[in-house]
Amino acid sequence: MVVAGLAVFAAASLVGGLAGSATLLVTARAIQGLGAAVLAPATLTLLTTTFPEGPQRVRAIAWWTAVGLAGGTGGNLLGGAVTQFLSWRWILLINVPIGAAAIAIALRRPRDEPARGTDIRLDLPGAISGVLGLTALTYAIAESHQRGWADPTTLAAVGVGAVALAGFVAFEARFTPNPLLPLRLLRAGAVSTGNALVVLSAACLMPMWFFLAFLMQNGMGYTPLQTGLGFLPHTLITMAVGARLAPALMDGFDARAVITLGAVIAALGFGWQGLNAVQLDGGYLEEIFGPAILISVGGGLLNTPITATVTSGVRRDDAGAASGLMNTAKQIGGAVGLAVLVAVASAPTGLAFDVAFTAMATIVVAVGLGAWLLPGPMAGTGSAAVRSQ
């Protein structure tokens, strides 16, 4: 599955980089998303089925998160340089040799489990209804600030989304022998509540990159390369905290406390960034760097315990579904969060960055409060659990 995801992503990147029309470009981007949707949960599933619950899995998840952020750092820097000195097309074309190299590495690892039978049927009704429902609702939110909620187009999108998601639940519960999302997963409090926290955290941490890019380029006049460099503190600090500090804190404290601490620190950073965005009369150190430290430390503390929580207490044969659910929750949160924040922050003169970052602070506070709805101390966290292992 890892190799398949890489191959689809690289092939779609080639088509998108050579696209001669907007329609072909958007189609290629959608197929890129398909490849990424296969790849991301497959890599996480490899970890959760290799490492048992406890400190080892927490550390593995921490490094999985950090490596993903390292890729984001490289993407920001390289993307800025490529856009400025070459062409936007190379943002896509460069994925082809990278994908080929990753496939070669993946193929060198021998299979460590027998191949499953070929009698498993794909849940196409569930996939179609789920994607249609989420897309329609996201479209409705994105269009509502221009058309209004009473507009027939917006209402039609809401109706289609509601009906499609109701159909998805029905398919998964009764009519599909191999459901895309086994509903039994949601009966586990850690999985259902944890994924709600994934949605909320992604609703602010993912749109942050969009708003900061506009803030630095449009508000502060930075070039694409300068903007890419401006993201370095956000990524490097988040990597360091997520890979080192978060697992260390989870050895001694309840995961819920670590999530809350991260949420409080991130909220302070978002609030500070919102205050700075009102004037934009200083340089990078005054306007961006200070808030970046708090946002990055908070985000780093959030990522690892939430990911460990939503993959805990899951049967081995449900590990792929649990990883896929978390990845889907993250993408839903990012897409819907961006749509909502753009609608909230839209003003006659352009985006109101202060409003957007203040809204992000509010959302991440909800993550900290929601952490205490998770079931008791997560297995494998806290000093007592560590000693017992």
Side-chain angles (χ1 to χ4, degrees):
M1 296 307 296
V2 169
V3 171
L6 286 167
V8 170
F9 190 87
S13 298
L14 178 62
V15 173
L18 300 176
S21 67
T23 300
L24 183 57
L25 175 60
V26 171
T27 302
R29 291 283 291 137
I31 297 174
Q32 267 190 318
L34 176 63
V38 172
L39 180 61
T43 57
L44 181 58
T45 302
L46 287 175
L47 294 184
T48 57
T49 55
T50 300
F51 296 96
E53 286 189 36
Q56 274 192 322
R57 182 184 290 185
V58 169
R59 286 193 292 272
I61 288 174
W63 279 105
W64 178 81
T65 303
V67 168
L69 288 167
T73 303
N76 282 327
L77 288 174
L78 195 56
V82 164
T83 301
Q84 185 166 341
F85 298 115
L86 295 174
S87 163
W88 64 266
R89 293 181 181 276
W90 280 98
I91 295 177
L92 299 172
L93 294 175
I94 200 169
N95 292 323
V96 178
I98 293 175
I103 289 172
I105 293 171
L107 291 175
R108 287 174 60 87
R109 175 168 172 75
R111 295 181 67 94
D112 56 2
E113 62 179 59
R116 300 188 183 187
T118 57
D119 58 339
I120 297 178
R121 298 179 182 178
L122 294 178
D123 179 15
L124 291 179
I128 293 171
S129 59
V131 170
L132 177 61
L134 294 173
T135 302
L137 290 180
T138 304
Y139 177 79
I141 294 171
E143 291 295 306
S144 64
H145 73 284
Q146 290 184 341
R147 299 176 180 269
W149 285 105
D151 182 83
T153 301
T154 305
L155 291 175
V158 171
V160 169
V163 170
L165 290 180
F168 172 78
V169 173
F171 281 125
E172 304 308 281
R174 292 182 176 272
F175 304 111
T176 304
N178 296 293
L180 181 69
L181 173 60
L183 296 184
R184 62 178 177 271
L185 278 177
L186 300 181
R187 299 191 190 103
V191 175
S192 55
T193 305
N195 275 288
L197 298 183
V198 171
V199 171
L200 289 175
S201 61
C204 52
L205 293 175
M206 292 179 70
M208 173 194 75
W209 303 98
F210 171 87
F211 285 98
L212 279 176
F214 269 90
L215 182 67
M216 286 190 277
Q217 288 193 254
N218 293 3
M220 303 177 71
Y222 286 6
T223 65
L225 179 57
Q226 288 173 322
T227 301
L229 290 170
F231 283 128
L232 268 178
H234 299 84
T235 309
L236 295 179
I237 296 173
T238 305
M239 276 178 55
V241 171
R244 293 291 188 182
L245 182 57
L249 288 176
M250 291 176 68
D251 279 348
F253 299 96
D254 185 349
R256 297 173 298 181
V258 179
I259 294 171
T260 302
L261 176 62
V264 170
I265 295 173
L268 292 173
F270 282 125
W272 185 3
Q273 188 67 77
L275 291 174
N276 285 355
V278 175
Q279 296 293 335
L280 290 179
D281 54 0
Y284 178 82
L285 291 178
E286 299 89 346
E287 301 292 344
I288 306 294
F289 185 71
I293 295 175
L294 295 183
I295 294 171
S296 305
V297 170
L301 290 176
L302 283 174
N303 284 326
T304 298
I306 290 179
T307 304
T309 297
V310 299
T311 55
S312 66
V314 175
R315 298 182 339 199
R316 182 181 176 88
D317 54 348
D318 283 338
S323 299
L325 177 60
M326 191 208 76
N327 188 62
T328 302
K330 183 177 180 181
Q331 299 304 321
I332 292 170
V336 174
L338 179 59
V340 170
L341 288 170
V342 168
V344 168
S346 292
T349 57
L351 289 174
F353 295 109
D354 57 330
V355 175
F357 287 111
T358 301
M360 292 180 205
T362 304
I363 295 171
V364 82
V365 166
V367 174
L369 295 174
W372 295 98
L373 298 177
L374 291 166
M378 191 186 73
T381 65
S383 55
V386 173
R387 285 195 300 270
S388 70
Q389 297 205 20

